Amino acid sequence: MAEHQNSEKITWQNAPFLLCEHCLGSGKVNGKTCENCQGIGAGVYYQGYLFHWSKVYNSTLGKLHKFNVFIYRLLNFVLLASFLAAVAWLGWYIYNVYLFEYNFWFLLDWHWWVQANIHLLAFYAAGLLLCFFAYRVMMYGESKSNLQILSQNLSGETKSQAHFALAQGFSELLKNKVPLLDVYKYAAPGLLTSLERAWDLTISIKGQEVTPLHLLGGLLDEGEVRVLLMRLGIGPADFGNKLVKALLLQQRGTEQSTMNLELTWNINLRKILIYAGLDAWDSNFRQVSELNALYSVGSIEYSINQYNLVKDLLEEFKINSNILRNIIEWGKLKQRLRDNLSLFRELARLKPTGNMNRAMTATFTPLLNNLSQDYTRSASYGYFLPCLNRDKEVNEILQSIESTQQSVLLVGHNGIGKTSIIEGIAQLMVMEKVPPQIEDKRLLVLDLPTLLSAVPPQNLPQVLQQLIQEIASSRNIVLVLENLEMLANNQGGSFSLLEVILQALESRAFYCIATTTPQAYVEFLENSKVPQVMTVLQVQELDIDSNIQIIEGQSGYLENKHQVFFTYDAIAKAVKLSDEYIYDQYLPAKAIKVLESSALAVKQQRGGGAVVLGEDVAKEIAEKTGIPVTQLTQDEAEKLLNLEKEIHRRVVGQEEAVEMVSSSLRRARAELRDTNRPIANFLFVGPTGVGKTELAKAVSEVYFGNEEAMLRFDMSEYQDKASIARLIGQNKEGGLLTEAVRRKPFALLLFDELEKAHPDILNLFLQILDDGRLTDGLGRTIDFSNAIIIATSNAGAKYVQSAIAENRPMEEIKEHLLKVELQNYYRPEFLNRFDGIITFKPLTPDNILAITRLLLVKVQKRLSAKQIIVDFSEDFVRELAVQGFDPLFGARPLKRVIQNKVEDSLANYLLSAKIKARDKVIFEAGGQIRVEEARRL
């Protein structure tokens, strides 16, 4: 029966698993071969083949397999030793004759050869033995590569048809004589050894059937699997201990329902191995490796109602499906490179590395050789890394050349992978896996900066024409022009150099692959003949997982370069954090830069051979951007839990406002917020002088480390429509707001007196508050998702003061303020964008007294730097509080009172030398000042 069927495109992961209804996967009924499935039991129909696993691989079979391998190697050794012995015997005989005859002229005497027939038999035997030995080695190698050959030889039409052929059962398939593929025959030695260990592990814990969990235990001792665990930062011993606990738990759950007298395979294990074969098939591997089995163990759903402890075990170590797929792809990449290396080297030897092609039709290109780099030569020498996850773009380029006979222009941002695509095409040209139009050709990259700087401008058209003539005459060159806009920017007399190139391409003189950026294409190329002469292909930024896999492919080069070891978490965080917090660059280039700088820092701190962890990459991102992305330390966690207390050291009262702000900051640091919006959006409303701006300063100091992290904008300066350009920029000049956030994305933005801003400016805030992004006047997207936005407003201040004086409830005041007073200044959709609209209460005399003490503490701190002690009597403090309180202006007059009564007096005393270092100044009631001079020698 088919386990699942649907109309979606079938991949190996969702190809239907077939389980025989008669034998339930065992292949036997009453001890006899099942007639329905012909002993197959279970399988998967995929791409025209019925994949199955034929044997229960146990310890006995493993020992027999090892014995066969031993006999095979022993026989090879005997053959090789016999050949060497025969050659040595013949050599010894010739040497003895030479000693007797003193020369080798006897070799020309045929009588001697007739007399030496016995020894010649040894020579003939040696030749036969050598041929037989070579034949055995060759046949062994071919038998091991059959899976790859089968996959490559299967036609695309067969694969396409097989995708839609959902089998109903074994009987229909076998009646139609569907070819069988026994995955067991293509199992790698490492996988067979793991199955043997899984069998022994089951016996050691007195289990009754071998399950995928036992196979996972058997895989742990394989070198590739252990390396992947190290990449994940998991110790094999820790993983093994958890695995044993899971095995014991699984055994307790199955021992009641299973009463088999002999050890056997669980049907889920057979299913896992079959799907491992499918994975190897799709990966174009020679054999089914332990990596294919590991991926299958962690990603395939079980067939029978048995709890999947494998997934629980993986989740215990925070390994989800994405992480498992990416880490397995890392291991597969290395295996694929090993499988393809010999093939690539063999084909590369056949590729000419000089000017001449194999057809001997090319001509000499001296000028072009001096101004270009031969990518096919570099590829044949193995200088390029593999081009990963860009098959779509590579195929589009080759199809365009084959079908339209046109050259191609790649349009994509810098660092996105355009050069890697061109390097991938060079590698395909070396292997001749390209359309006939560019077979047996060289891929040359013209060095445009050198050309434009070394040649006088008036001579550029003639030099470019000479280059084109050399390319056209040679007829074995595909030209690469990186940054094509450079030719459009340079004039060769009355026309641009781009026109010279386009004329040649229009006449099909040669093929060209060019690159440019989206901005340059729009500015210089879109309105030219380029879209008519060339096929324009957009190169988009890949998703996170694809970029992780690309960097995994380059990890070996980076590790050798910096002498470090990258964990998977380091690579994943380099991609994810750079994507989230570095906005003016593109993946994968920006992630590679972060990894390299992290590797340098780790090597300096911990020496060569050190392991680069995810936290090391997070520290590097934090240093580059100023955004805290590292794990919370205990001190930081303590500080966040006590934010209210920290803020109240500067802000008096306003408990509701302080609590709401503190809660939003804790959610942000715990990564529980919507990352597509700012950290927090607040609108502070209330009378002037009640602490709205002071709370913003306090948050900046406590959360960001200092008040300098606060970017303050007085919105009374942006009352006309033209002031929008000042905020977001225009005419190639950045705006005050957008440039400030672009340079310091992790900051607090304070917009004072928001009600005074022009209405069109408020429309800009709709996008910032909702999406966390804003497009500036230069077309750049500025990210506000790591900013805290606080806007203050005095709208409705008079109402709040009068309502408080009338002792109205705060809830009534807030409701009226939101539904009536604020509606006169802001639209409802604008107000709804804020996380909280916080009403600040007018200050009471007790609040003013507390604020007075806070302001006087600041005075004491400033004088302590001069080693002068300042003290204030309680009566004096109360006098200042009374004089500085104004019901209309809140605490604002208090600062002026302290400035006049305290700071001015201290300045006069300092200038007149009435107080010196180590003296104590005491302010008493009535403003009297008493100085206690320090003892001096």
Side-chain angles (χ1 to χ4, degrees):
M1 57 184 175
E3 188 174 272
H4 59 79
Q5 297 183 15
N6 52 50
S7 59
E8 65 181 12
K9 181 179 178 180
I10 297 179
T11 62
W12 73 264
Q13 290 98 333
N14 61 19
F17 181 69
L18 306 174
L19 187 66
C20 179
E21 304 99 328
H22 294 239
C23 64
L24 299 179
S26 66
K28 293 185 179 181
V29 178
N30 298 325
K32 297 181 180 180
T33 301
C34 177
E35 296 181 358
N36 182 60
C37 65
Q38 299 180 12
I40 294 175
V44 175
Y45 180 69
Y46 184 63
Q47 293 190 354
Y49 285 91
L50 179 59
F51 289 74
H52 69 102
W53 184 282
S54 61
K55 295 187 178 181
V56 175
Y57 197 82
N58 52 30
S59 298
T60 304
L61 198 59
K63 291 174 183 177
L64 180 61
H65 174 75
K66 291 176 182 177
F67 179 74
N68 291 336
V69 171
F70 170 76
I71 295 298
Y72 173 83
R73 292 175 178 174
L74 179 62
L75 183 56
N76 283 350
F77 174 77
V78 171
L79 288 172
L80 185 60
S82 300
F83 163 73
L84 294 176
V87 171
W89 185 7
L90 182 62
W92 175 80
Y93 177 74
I94 294 174
Y95 176 71
N96 282 327
V97 172
Y98 167 73
L99 289 178
F100 181 75
E101 299 285 345
Y102 297 105
N103 60 64
F104 281 105
W105 291 108
F106 67 90
L107 293 175
L108 301 178
D109 185 0
W110 66 274
H111 294 287
W112 179 88
W113 285 103
V114 172
Q115 296 173 2
N117 55 358
I118 297 177
H119 302 283
L120 282 176
L121 288 175
F123 179 74
Y124 297 149
L128 290 174
L129 289 171
L130 179 62
C131 293
F132 187 50
F133 173 75
Y135 170 77
R136 283 175 56 82
V137 172
M138 182 180 66
M139 291 304 295
Y140 181 77
E142 285 185 0
S143 67
K144 289 299 181 183
S145 62
N146 278 346
L147 186 62
Q148 188 181 56
I149 292 173
L150 281 174
S151 178
Q152 291 175 342
N153 290 342
L154 188 64
S155 68
E157 182 181 359
T158 304
K159 287 187 177 183
S160 176
Q161 292 174 352
H163 272 310
F164 298 98
L166 293 178
Q168 299 299 318
F170 280 105
S171 56
E172 291 86 351
L173 288 171
L174 297 176
K175 285 178 184 177
N176 294 325
K177 297 183 179 179
V178 171
L180 304 178
L181 196 152
D182 186 358
V183 177
Y184 167 73
K185 294 181 179 179
Y186 306 102
L191 176 56
L192 294 177
T193 303
S194 299
L195 285 169
E196 187 178 349
R197 283 195 292 262
W199 185 275
D200 293 338
L201 177 61
T202 309
I203 294 174
S204 67
I205 62 173
K206 299 180 180 180
Q208 294 183 338
E209 59 179 7
V210 187
T211 68
L213 201 58
H214 294 95
L215 174 59
L216 184 59
L219 290 168
L220 282 184
D221 286 333
E222 289 300 314
E224 289 288 345
V225 176
R226 294 177 76 88
V227 169
L228 294 186
L229 287 178
M230 291 173 61
R231 296 282 190 190
L232 290 169
I234 300 172
D238 294 337
F239 194 88
N241 292 335
K242 293 280 187 181
L243 176 66
V244 170
K245 293 180 181 178
L247 284 169
L248 295 176
L249 180 62
Q250 175 182 266
Q251 186 165 325
R252 285 197 299 270
T254 58
E255 61 186 5
Q256 298 296 330
S257 59
T258 307
M259 300 299 294
N260 294 330
L261 297 179
E262 62 177 278
L263 186 61
T264 185
W265 273 13
N266 182 281
I267 186 60
N268 290 314
L269 178 59
R270 191 180 296 272
K271 178 179 182 180
I272 290 299
L273 293 172
I274 294 172
Y275 278 100
L278 296 179
D279 185 28
W281 172 274
D282 263 15
S283 301
N284 201 25
F285 283 175
R286 294 172 181 264
Q287 296 176 276
V288 185
S289 71
E290 52 271 29
L291 293 179
N292 302 121
L294 179 62
Y295 187 37
S296 183
V297 165
S299 59
I300 297 301
E301 294 295 332
Y302 286 177
S303 299
I304 60 176
N305 295 326
Q306 182 180 12
Y307 192 69
N308 193 342
L309 285 172
V310 172
K311 289 192 175 181
D312 284 358
L313 179 62
L314 295 178
E315 289 172 1
E316 186 79 15
F317 291 93
K318 300 179 179 179
I319 304 175
N320 57 32
S321 58
N322 277 354
I323 293 176
L324 180 65
R325 180 175 63 252
N326 289 335
I327 196 69
I328 294 294
E329 283 300 320
W330 198 347
K332 282 183 181 179
L333 174 64
K334 292 185 177 180
Q335 183 172 329
R336 194 177 294 115
L337 290 176
R338 287 194 298 267
D339 286 350
N340 294 336
L341 183 60
S342 58
L343 174 63
F344 183 79
R345 285 177 175 173
E346 181 181 347
L347 295 174
R349 283 197 296 268
L350 304 176
K351 184 72 175 179
T353 56
N355 293 335
M356 189 57 62
N357 56 353
R358 289 196 298 270
M360 304 297 288
T361 58
T363 59
F364 190 47
T365 55
L367 180 60
L368 183 62
N369 291 344
N370 290 331
L371 292 172
S372 65
Q373 180 182 353
D374 191 337
Y375 265 31
T376 43
R377 178 184 299 171
S378 299
S380 64
Y381 291 156
Y383 293 159
F384 293 150
L385 295 169
C387 177
L388 300 175
N389 297 329
R390 287 295 186 184
D391 294 343
K392 174 178 175 289
E393 289 80 1
V394 170
N395 290 334
E396 285 178 348
I397 293 172
L398 299 181
Q399 288 171 7
S400 175
I401 292 175
E402 185 174 20
S403 60
T404 67
Q405 308 289 314
Q406 277 192 332
S407 297
V408 177
L409 174 65
L410 302 179
V411 181
H413 294 287
N414 291 327
I416 211 169
K418 301 190 296 292
T419 301
S420 178
I421 293 172
I422 294 172
E423 291 174 354
I425 291 175
Q427 293 170 335
L428 292 176
M429 290 177 69
V430 168
M431 295 186 288
E432 299 295 0
K433 293 184 177 181
V434 291
Q437 290 87 341
I438 58 175
E439 283 182 350
D440 196 20
K441 294 186 186 295
R442 295 190 294 155
L443 187 69
L444 298 186
V445 181
L446 185 61
D447 189 350
L448 287 180
T450 300
L451 172 66
L452 298 176
S453 60
V455 179
Q458 64 272 17
N459 297 337
L460 279 172
Q462 293 82 1
V463 173
L464 194 56
Q465 287 286 6
Q466 184 179 348
L467 288 170
I468 292 173
Q469 183 62 38
E470 288 186 357
I471 297 170
S473 300
S474 181
R475 292 186 296 174
N476 75 324
I477 292 172
V478 177
L479 187 66
V480 175
L481 295 173
E482 293 184 315
N483 302 317
L484 183 63
E485 70 278 2
M486 296 177 68
L487 294 179
N489 245 344
N490 284 268
Q491 298 294 321
S494 60
F495 55 90
S496 74
L497 299 177
L498 178 63
E499 295 177 15
V500 179
I501 290 290
L502 292 179
Q503 288 174 5
L505 297 181
E506 198 169 15
S507 63
R508 303 291 197 272
F510 57 88
Y511 289 105
C512 173
I513 301 174
T515 68
T516 189
T517 63
Q519 297 88 341
Y521 177 75
V522 172
E523 187 172 355
F524 299 108
L525 307 175
E526 189 174 31
N527 296 321
S528 68
K529 282 188 176 181
V530 168
Q532 288 78 40
V533 176
M534 307 180 76
T535 301
V536 180
L537 298 179
Q538 299 291 334
V539 182
Q540 304 294 340
E541 192 173 29
L542 295 171
D543 59 32
I544 295 296
D545 287 336
S546 296
N547 278 296
I548 288 175
Q549 293 165 16
I550 286 174
I551 298 180
E552 286 175 347
Q554 301 185 20
S555 63
Y557 165 75
L558 296 175
E559 287 176 336
N560 289 331
K561 178 180 177 181
H562 298 290
Q563 296 299 303
V564 294
F565 182 87
F566 290 117
T567 63
Y568 172 80
D569 194 35
I571 292 179
K573 281 192 174 178
V575 174
K576 293 176 182 178
L577 296 180
S578 63
D579 178 63
E580 188 171 353
Y581 299 114
I582 300 178
Y583 312 112
D584 54 352
Q585 301 173 46
Y586 294 89
L587 291 171
K590 60 182 179 181
I592 293 173
K593 289 180 182 178
V594 169
L595 267 182
E596 293 211 68
S597 56
S598 301
L600 288 172
V602 168
K603 186 177 180 181
Q604 290 175 354
Q605 295 168 7
R606 303 198 285 266
V611 178
V612 181
L613 304 172
E615 192 66 8
D616 298 317
V617 174
K619 288 179 182 177
E620 190 67 25
I621 292 283
E623 290 179 5
K624 286 180 178 294
T625 63
I627 302 172
V629 294
T630 57
Q631 292 183 353
L632 275 171
T633 64
Q634 186 173 357
D635 290 342
E636 188 181 1
E638 192 71 23
K639 183 179 180 180
L640 286 168
L641 291 173
N642 295 284
L643 267 180
E644 290 88 344
K645 183 178 179 181
E646 294 290 329
I647 293 175
H648 274 306
R649 291 180 179 178
R650 288 193 52 166
V651 177
V652 174
Q654 313 301 352
E655 282 76 12
E656 180 192 8
V658 172
E659 184 177 348
M660 287 188 68
V661 170
S662 300
S663 298
S664 67
L665 297 182
R666 280 191 286 267
R667 288 194 302 272
R669 193 64 181 94
E671 299 179 354
L672 296 177
R673 69 181 181 94
D674 183 356
T675 56
N676 294 321
R677 302 181 72 239
I679 293 175
N681 305 317
F682 292 115
L683 176 61
F684 293 170
V685 297
T688 184
V690 295
K692 299 190 295 293
T693 302
E694 188 63 26
L695 176 56
K697 290 180 179 180
V699 171
S700 180
E701 180 184 14
V702 172
Y703 192 71
F704 296 93
N706 58 72
E707 289 186 18
E708 300 300 321
M710 184 178 74
L711 305 174
R712 184 173 181 176
F713 296 87
D714 187 348
M715 302 311 292
S716 63
E717 300 176 5
Y718 302 93
Q719 298 188 30
D720 59 336
K721 188 173 183 178
S723 59
I724 294 178
R726 293 175 56 204
L727 287 174
I728 67 173
Q730 66 175 353
N731 298 330
K732 298 184 179 181
E733 291 186 5
L736 295 175
L737 172 61
T738 53
E739 280 299 294
V741 175
R742 190 176 71 85
R743 292 171 182 167
K744 188 188 287 187
F746 186 58
L748 186 148
L749 302 178
L750 176 62
F751 300 97
D752 259 338
E753 299 184 300
L754 187 63
E755 74 278 1
K756 296 181 180 179
H758 191 274
D760 286 351
I761 291 179
L762 297 183
N763 292 335
L764 293 177
F765 282 89
L766 290 174
Q767 186 180 357
I768 295 175
L769 300 178
D770 203 31
D771 301 329
R773 296 179 182 273
L774 179 66
T775 302
D776 69 359
L778 306 180
R780 298 173 303 188
T781 299
I782 310 300
D783 192 280
F784 285 77
S785 62
N786 295 294
I788 297 174
I789 296 177
I790 295 178
T792 69
S793 177
N794 295 327
K798 291 183 179 179
Y799 165 76
V800 173
Q801 287 177 325
S802 62
I804 292 290
E806 295 172 5
N807 293 322
R808 294 185 184 178
M810 279 303 299
E811 292 301 322
E812 178 185 335
I813 295 174
K814 290 179 185 178
E815 185 176 358
H816 180 84
L817 190 66
L818 185 60
K819 292 184 177 180
V820 179
E821 301 293 332
L822 294 181
Q823 300 293 331
N824 297 325
Y825 297 89
Y826 311 110
R827 290 183 296 170
E829 61 268 27
F830 176 75
L831 295 174
N832 288 335
R833 295 299 197 280
F834 287 100
D835 298 329
I837 299 175
I838 303 173
T839 304
F840 280 64
K841 305 175 186 177
L843 297 175
T844 65
D846 288 339
N847 294 147
I848 292 294
L849 183 61
I851 294 172
T852 303
R853 292 194 173 98
L854 289 177
L855 294 176
L856 292 177
V857 168
K858 291 184 178 181
V859 174
Q860 290 175 323
K861 288 182 179 179
R862 289 198 294 270
L863 268 294
S864 65
K866 299 179 180 294
Q867 293 184 324
I868 297 174
I869 302 172
V870 182
D871 201 1
F872 306 95
S873 68
E874 183 63 21
D875 292 338
F876 178 73
V877 173
R878 292 183 179 277
E879 288 177 2
L880 290 177
V882 172
Q883 295 173 21
F885 177 67
D886 187 320
L888 293 177
F889 297 101
R892 292 193 185 278
L894 181 59
K895 293 184 178 180
R896 290 192 293 271
V897 170
I898 292 177
Q899 180 180 338
N900 295 335
K901 300 291 185 180
V902 178
E903 293 177 355
D904 288 351
S905 300
L906 288 171
N908 292 333
Y909 270 58
L910 284 169
L911 293 174
S912 60
K914 292 182 179 180
I915 54 176
K916 299 177 182 177
R918 295 186 291 116
D919 289 348
K920 183 176 183 179
V921 183
I922 302 172
F923 286 81
E924 297 179 337
Q928 298 296 318
I929 301 176
R930 179 164 53 88
V931 178
E932 295 180 357
E933 294 184 357
R935 181 181 301 174
R936 294 181 174 86
L937 299 177

